[in-house]
Amino acid sequence: MATPSLLPVVLAADNFPACAAYPSHHPDTGEVYVPFHIAPADHAARLSPVGLLRPAVLAALDGDAAFVSHRAGNAVECVTFAPDVLAGGRQAMDKAIADTAARWRAAGLFTPALAGWRDELYAIYASPRSAAFATPPRGGWRNAAFACERAACAVWGFATFGVHMTAYEGEGGSMKIWVPRRSPTKATWPGMLDNTVAGGITAGMTPRDTMIKECDEEASLPASLVEARLRNVGLATYWYITKAGFLQPEVEYLYDLPLPPRDSADYVLPRPHDDEVESFHLMTVPEVIEALHRGEFKPNCGIILVDFLIRHSLITPENEPDYIEICWHMRRRLGVGMPA
Amino acid sequence: MATPSLLPVVLAADNFPACAAYPSHHPDTGEVYVPFHIAPADHAARLSPVGLLRPAVLAALDGDAAFVSHRAGNAVECVTFAPDVLAGGRQAMDKAIADTAARWRAAGLFTPALAGWRDELYAIYASPRSAAFATPPRGGWRNAAFACERAACAVWGFATFGVHMTAYEGEGGSMKIWVPRRSPTKATWPGMLDNTVAGGITAGMTPRDTMIKECDEEASLPASLVEARLRNVGLATYWYITKAGFLQPEVEYLYDLPLPPRDSADYVLPRPHDDEVESFHLMTVPEVIEALHRGEFKPNCGIILVDFLIRHSLITPENEPDYIEICWHMRRRLGVGMPA
């Protein structure tokens, strides 16, 4: 169904031009980020870049025949694919990104990021007006320009996309939330608390399909129950930067799963299925808030639980002094390529 | 109840420093905006300004003894209260703002904005670290630095704060939303569709108290019903600029009111009370979306209804191509003084 976009409705109220797209440098360290574009024309047209390159990555790309650094005087203004890669289209771009990442990994470069190699491809989005597309694609994630190994995205500063779901029982004061503890053997954030079900969106999957698949894989929640009760409730976007300084702009599509009453025929208990989750616990809202304050949740699960508690009237302007600042932080304009 | 802030939890994920606070100029017209601060020290400390001044307002302030324009070479870097106003504290600031706005109004200046004079005072917030405060205030809207007539806020580029509520019956596909039509005699947006109940927050009121009061005044909804069922669900922030170029950064605290079933004892029909609303209509979701596309809603009601439809799983990433861009536009970082 091709629904006409409601963006004009939103722009009627938020009608001051949006400014300040991507960060050009780190405000504290001064480290400069160079935009990575598909083609020089995209940079000239001031389109959003597909990624942001740190100085070390810029240096590692020097001499790589698949990429061109465009200079203005001494400074690199942007990096793009080389003309022959562009001429080869999507397949050639996929290969250029894959070959370069593989070479870096073999050379032991960017270890903190590339050590988590997953053999999982993520779609990287260019502006619909990019030279990558003969005609501007519209909707349905058709402006994916190429793919990149999940673990390498942070090296290029590519945005990644995921889904997060909160399953809960009851409402208001009696609400309880299903919280898993991550397996102690997981490569990232072992042993920490997590959202009920979450996962990354691999190339070619929609958010909703990813969510339904992960519900089965991570929590043994049957597709029939999830499809009937899953509610899409918004978005969290945030700029995460790793301790080593890698940029990980992230978009999480958010879902609620209100579970049926315990005494109903279709009640289902979330339980671990694959080896990602150690155990599930049903926590009260005060218990969740305490665990958040103690830093027991994986960081991006914290941001998403806070969004959940705001939407469910459990964090309010009256009980949270930083209400407005919090709301802004969970909807950061990322300024790099997005589905559109 | 002094709840500890969850901001650190959110900053654990959105941990790249926030940049690009307020717009320094209009990207298209080039019109420059000069920050209005309480005191020069606030500007030196790079705190958020309390407002943004257009060139015409800057010119009108020239020679006003209550204000000082601080220059760097030929350009005005910021405007602040004059030292004797600062020494007089909040009362003196209130008076300086009131006197200046009254003088402008008497002189017929800034007519499109000041013509809507309301005799209604709004609180203007400075950074908690502003020189306006002996010790940094915390929570409970205690960082209100002074007050300003509602209609004059756009002249100074002060942020204004309001509440918006959507009352609805049913859920999912069978949901219906109560939509009022504004009185044809209203000064602003006469005859347009509106959110069920909305209003501005006057100095000294909390969002929730304002909401409960407006529910009675605009829709005859009794406080007992509203207090029991009102749900705080988030925030919309947007940069509105009028045709005449006045800046109106706005924050709207958002509420849902799920009405009880029709056959229950506490069901209540919204009906006009004061002269602001002509009539209420119960609209289906497709009817609301059609009216949004036709531009029948007052602009900021459009943005808030889109947020409602997103939270209720009626606008999804699968049916809205501009989903991410829309989510960003309804949570613009405003960069001027906010409650904190």
Side-chain angles (χ1 to χ4, degrees):
Chain A
M1 185 180 68
T3 322
S5 170
L6 284 160
L7 183 59
V9 170
V10 169
L11 291 177
D14 190 46
N15 68 344
F16 189 88
C19 36
Y22 58 86
S24 58
H25 64 280
H26 192 290
D28 303 330
T29 66
E31 185 171 271
V32 169
Y33 306 126
V34 168
F36 175 55
H37 282 280
I38 302 277
D42 294 358
H43 181 60
R46 296 175 163 277
L47 304 183
S48 293
V50 288
L52 292 179
L53 308 177
R54 306 177 61 193
V57 179
L58 211 59
L61 282 172
D62 202 38
D64 189 322
F67 300 93
V68 180
S69 295
H70 303 267
R71 291 176 180 276
N74 279 332
V76 177
E77 268 205 320
C78 77
V79 171
T80 66
F81 285 112
D84 62 316
V85 175
L86 283 174
R90 176 157 179 166
Q91 248 186 321
M93 290 193 266
D94 283 353
K95 186 173 182 318
I97 293 287
D99 288 353
T100 301
R103 183 164 59 76
W104 287 341
R105 187 187 181 203
L109 280 176
F110 313 125
T111 339
L114 297 184
W117 198 274
R118 307 260 198 143
D119 283 321
E120 211 177 313
L121 287 177
Y122 273 26
I124 310 303
Y125 297 89
S127 162
R129 293 190 289 130
S130 165
F133 309 112
T135 51
R138 183 75 177 136
W141 294 273
R142 282 190 290 267
N143 63 324
F146 57 86
C148 177
E149 152 65 26
R150 178 172 181 170
C153 290
V155 179
W156 302 89
F158 294 151
T160 58
F161 300 83
V163 292
H164 275 249
M165 187 190 79
T166 310
Y168 61 98
E169 305 187 7
E171 283 288 348
S174 64
M175 178 189 281
K176 289 183 181 174
I177 297 172
W178 277 104
V179 175
R181 189 172 290 281
R182 294 165 72 87
S183 158
T185 60
K186 254 198 101 118
T188 55
W189 316 103
M192 296 194 86
L193 299 181
D194 206 324
N195 284 327
T196 317
V197 179
I201 302 175
T202 52
M205 292 279 285
T206 68
R208 191 177 165 86
D209 290 346
T210 304
M211 195 74 260
I212 292 167
K213 176 180 75 75
E214 295 280 348
C215 278
D216 170 47
E217 289 180 6
E218 288 192 359
S220 317
L221 292 167
S224 57
L225 173 94
V226 176
E227 278 168 7
R229 305 185 69 92
L230 188 66
R231 293 165 54 92
N232 204 156
V233 291
L235 199 67
T237 60
Y238 48 89
W239 258 110
Y240 187 71
I241 180 165
T242 68
K243 274 187 191 158
F246 290 98
L247 295 168
Q248 293 186 223
E250 294 207 327
V251 174
E252 303 289 357
Y253 296 97
L254 306 185
Y255 296 85
D256 278 4
L257 186 73
L259 287 169
R262 287 256 164 161
D263 53 6
S264 72
D266 51 350
Y267 179 79
V268 179
L269 198 73
R271 52 176 212 282
H273 180 173
D274 60 18
D275 55 0
E276 311 230 330
V277 170
E278 185 191 78
S279 54
F280 279 99
H281 299 275
L282 194 58
M283 292 171 74
T284 65
V285 169
E287 284 167 353
V288 165
I289 291 177
E290 270 173 50
L292 285 169
H293 281 300
R294 281 198 303 264
E296 289 185 34
F297 279 91
K298 182 180 167 232
N300 70 343
C301 299
I303 215 168
I304 284 150
L305 275 169
V306 171
D307 178 87
F308 177 89
L309 295 170
I310 285 175
R311 286 186 293 98
H312 287 269
S313 212
L314 296 159
I315 295 176
T316 70
E318 282 82 10
N319 71 19
E320 172 53 65
D322 293 310
Y323 193 82
I324 298 174
E325 191 67 26
I326 281 173
C327 289
W328 284 342
H329 273 289
M330 40 176 77
R331 286 273 183 93
R332 279 284 279 271
R333 177 172 282 272
L334 301 176
V336 292
M338 289 289 134
Chain B
M1 185 181 68
T3 323
S5 171
L6 285 159
L7 183 59
V9 171
V10 168
L11 291 176
D14 190 48
N15 68 344
F16 190 88
C19 35
Y22 58 86
S24 59
H25 65 281
H26 192 290
D28 303 330
T29 66
E31 185 172 271
V32 169
Y33 307 126
V34 167
F36 175 56
H37 282 280
I38 302 278
D42 295 357
H43 181 61
R46 296 176 163 275
L47 304 183
S48 293
V50 288
L52 292 179
L53 307 178
R54 306 177 62 194
V57 179
L58 212 57
L61 282 172
D62 202 39
D64 189 322
F67 300 92
V68 179
S69 296
H70 303 268
R71 293 178 179 275
N74 279 332
V76 177
E77 268 206 320
C78 76
V79 171
T80 67
F81 286 112
D84 62 316
V85 175
L86 283 174
R90 177 157 180 167
Q91 248 187 320
M93 290 193 266
D94 283 353
K95 185 172 184 317
I97 293 287
D99 289 352
T100 301
R103 183 165 59 75
W104 287 341
R105 188 188 181 201
L109 280 175
F110 313 125
T111 340
L114 296 184
W117 199 274
R118 309 259 199 144
D119 283 322
E120 212 178 311
L121 287 177
Y122 273 25
I124 310 303
Y125 297 89
S127 162
R129 293 189 289 129
S130 166
F133 310 112
T135 51
R138 184 76 177 134
W141 294 272
R142 283 191 290 268
N143 62 325
F146 56 87
C148 178
E149 151 67 25
R150 178 172 180 170
C153 289
V155 179
W156 302 89
F158 294 151
T160 58
F161 300 82
V163 291
H164 275 248
M165 187 191 80
T166 309
Y168 62 98
E169 304 187 7
E171 282 288 349
S174 63
M175 179 189 282
K176 289 183 180 172
I177 298 172
W178 278 104
V179 175
R181 189 173 290 281
R182 293 165 74 86
S183 159
T185 61
K186 255 199 102 122
T188 54
W189 316 101
M192 296 195 85
L193 299 180
D194 206 323
N195 284 329
T196 317
V197 179
I201 302 175
T202 53
M205 292 280 286
T206 68
R208 190 176 164 87
D209 291 346
T210 304
M211 195 73 260
I212 292 167
K213 176 180 76 77
E214 296 280 347
C215 279
D216 171 46
E217 289 179 4
E218 289 191 358
S220 318
L221 292 167
S224 56
L225 173 93
V226 176
E227 278 168 7
R229 305 185 69 91
L230 187 68
R231 291 165 55 91
N232 204 155
V233 292
L235 198 67
T237 59
Y238 49 90
W239 259 110
Y240 186 70
I241 181 166
T242 68
K243 275 187 191 157
F246 290 98
L247 295 168
Q248 294 186 221
E250 293 206 328
V251 174
E252 304 289 357
Y253 295 97
L254 305 184
Y255 296 85
D256 279 3
L257 186 73
L259 287 168
R262 288 254 164 164
D263 54 6
S264 72
D266 51 351
Y267 178 79
V268 178
L269 199 71
R271 52 176 212 282
H273 180 171
D274 59 18
D275 54 0
E276 312 231 329
V277 171
E278 185 191 77
S279 54
F280 279 99
H281 299 275
L282 195 58
M283 293 172 73
T284 65
V285 169
E287 284 167 352
V288 165
I289 291 176
E290 271 173 50
L292 286 170
H293 281 301
R294 282 197 303 264
E296 290 185 34
F297 279 92
K298 181 180 168 235
N300 70 342
C301 299
I303 214 167
I304 285 152
L305 274 168
V306 170
D307 178 86
F308 177 90
L309 295 170
I310 285 174
R311 285 187 293 99
H312 286 269
S313 211
L314 296 159
I315 296 176
T316 70
E318 283 82 10
N319 70 20
E320 171 53 66
D322 294 310
Y323 193 83
I324 297 173
E325 191 67 26
I326 282 174
C327 288
W328 283 341
H329 272 290
M330 42 176 76
R331 287 273 183 91
R332 279 283 280 270
R333 177 171 283 272
L334 301 177
V336 291
M338 289 289 135

